[in-house]
Amino acid sequence: MNNESPDQRFSLLLPVYGNDEPSQFERAFASATTGQSLVPSEVVLVQDGPIPAELELAVARATKSCPVPLNHVVIDEQGGLAQALTIGLERCSYDIVARMDADDVALSERFARQMAKMAEGYDLVGTGMYEFADDTSEVLGRRTPPVGAAAIAKYARFHDPFNHPTVMYRKAVVANAGSYEDIGLMEDYWLFARMIHSGARVENLPDPLVMYRVGAGAYARRGGKRQFEAEWNLQRALRRIGFTTRLQFARNIAMRGVYRFVPVGVRRILYRRMIQRGFSDVSSESASYGKASS
């Protein structure tokens, strides 16, 4: 039972689209609702385009079992994650909104711990993550994000300092920063950079509070011409608003851009080292729908 007070009310924003697996969706949904010690006040489930019949049944079962009001928003034609999240945010009844992906698993204390931090006056709070492939009992890795405003701001000049599927933020502050914009699979990094740049109070909880599914072919999808073009557009945008210096722009293009063209095996090694080094010095990326894509 959710014995929430008015200052504990928040919306859960969960997008789903045609390629999501029904069983994974149902587990993700349950982990973020009935599986939480602090249950969301409402769920905004955004369906981005048509979905297969089996997934429709899974959505219907989740809707029926949901312990709180659920707003099922259907977008007729798939428009991508940035559009789905923007539309979903507009439908959220509460200023505090928690993000969740349709194939991850939230640990039971996630929302309670994030809401406690939000109550301190923060506008954006992320958490660490465990990575897994198919079985959550087999952890492949751990992503521990930078902690503290200074460390987050410093790291943000090179890499997304938040794990997108873990974040909780204030809708008004997101809107003030311009909300999500489609910038070639990097809408989350671009949004968070603008929030930091506009003075939002940000923090990360280092503990992993989400189990993040690493899908097959993830490292292959991080490379290629399309990803390089997205990288170029992002870096130009960061430089345009003055978030990065000319030197940082050149460094990012040289390091992050070249990374898009190395062989998949090399890319995997470089990525793991970059994540580990970045976290220890002061995080993540996936090019699939609904994943952080820095």
Side-chain angles (χ1 to χ4, degrees):
M1 183 176 178
N2 186 18
N3 297 316
E4 64 178 15
S5 61
D7 60 352
Q8 289 182 306
R9 294 174 183 171
F10 68 99
S11 303
L12 170 64
L13 176 56
L14 198 165
V16 61
Y17 82 127
N19 285 352
D20 286 320
E21 292 290 333
S23 62
Q24 295 173 7
F25 163 77
E26 289 192 89
R27 186 175 185 188
F29 188 91
S31 76
T33 53
T34 56
Q36 289 295 304
S37 61
L38 179 63
V39 179
S41 306
E42 69 169 359
V43 176
V44 177
L45 179 65
V46 183
Q47 180 183 316
D48 189 16
I51 59 176
E54 188 176 354
L55 185 55
E56 283 187 350
L57 291 174
V59 168
R61 287 193 294 269
T63 301
K64 186 176 181 180
S65 66
C66 189
V68 297
L70 184 147
N71 185 356
H72 183 189
V73 180
V74 178
I75 302 172
D76 292 336
E77 295 185 11
Q78 184 181 337
L81 183 60
Q83 175 182 286
L85 293 178
T86 298
I87 292 174
L89 278 169
E90 293 173 351
R91 303 296 183 87
C92 289
S93 303
Y94 302 98
D95 187 49
I96 296 179
V97 178
R99 276 277 290 112
M100 182 70 187
D101 280 348
D103 59 352
D104 297 332
V105 179
L107 302 189
S108 62
E109 293 298 313
R110 178 194 162 183
F111 296 150
R113 294 191 56 188
Q114 285 183 284
M115 282 296 286
K117 184 59 66 174
M118 294 290 286
E120 297 177 19
Y122 288 99
D123 302 311
L124 167 60
V125 176
T127 82
M129 301 191 303
Y130 286 125
E131 292 182 342
F132 74 102
D134 296 310
D135 188 346
T136 52
S137 66
E138 298 179 4
V139 175
L140 303 177
R142 174 174 173 170
R143 299 186 188 182
T144 306
V147 175
I152 290 171
K154 178 181 178 181
Y155 194 57
R157 268 63 185 185
F158 178 67
H159 205 282
D160 190 344
F162 295 97
N163 295 315
H164 191 201
T166 75
V167 299
M168 179 178 281
Y169 42 39
R170 296 186 189 277
K171 183 172 67 169
V173 179
V174 171
N176 182 62
S179 198
Y180 287 95
E181 295 179 359
D182 189 352
I183 193 165
L185 306 177
M186 297 189 181
E187 60 278 322
D188 56 316
Y189 188 0
W190 175 226
L191 170 61
F192 301 150
R194 284 179 285 128
M195 291 179 70
I196 294 170
H197 194 55
S198 63
R201 291 193 64 196
V202 300
E203 185 55 288
N204 272 311
L205 300 174
D207 296 336
L209 297 177
V210 170
M211 301 289 294
Y212 174 87
R213 188 181 301 275
V214 180
Y219 293 100
R221 289 191 294 270
R222 292 188 181 110
K225 181 180 178 181
R226 184 185 179 194
Q227 277 296 90
F228 178 79
E229 290 175 348
E231 187 69 62
W232 174 260
N233 291 335
L234 172 67
Q235 296 304 327
R236 287 185 63 190
L238 294 175
R239 179 72 194 104
R240 185 178 67 248
I241 67 171
F243 189 72
T244 54
T245 65
R246 292 180 180 178
L247 183 60
Q248 289 169 336
F249 171 82
R251 175 203 61 185
N252 293 352
I253 290 296
M255 296 182 67
R256 291 171 57 93
V258 170
Y259 165 81
R260 307 299 177 180
F261 293 106
V262 300
V264 174
V266 176
R267 189 179 304 131
R268 183 182 186 280
I269 294 171
L270 290 176
Y271 175 68
R272 299 309 311 172
R273 288 181 178 177
M274 179 172 64
I275 289 295
Q276 292 166 3
R277 182 172 64 248
F279 287 163
S280 62
D281 287 347
V282 222
S283 163
S284 279
E285 174 182 5
S286 168
S288 61
Y289 182 98
K291 297 295 185 182
S293 48
S294 55

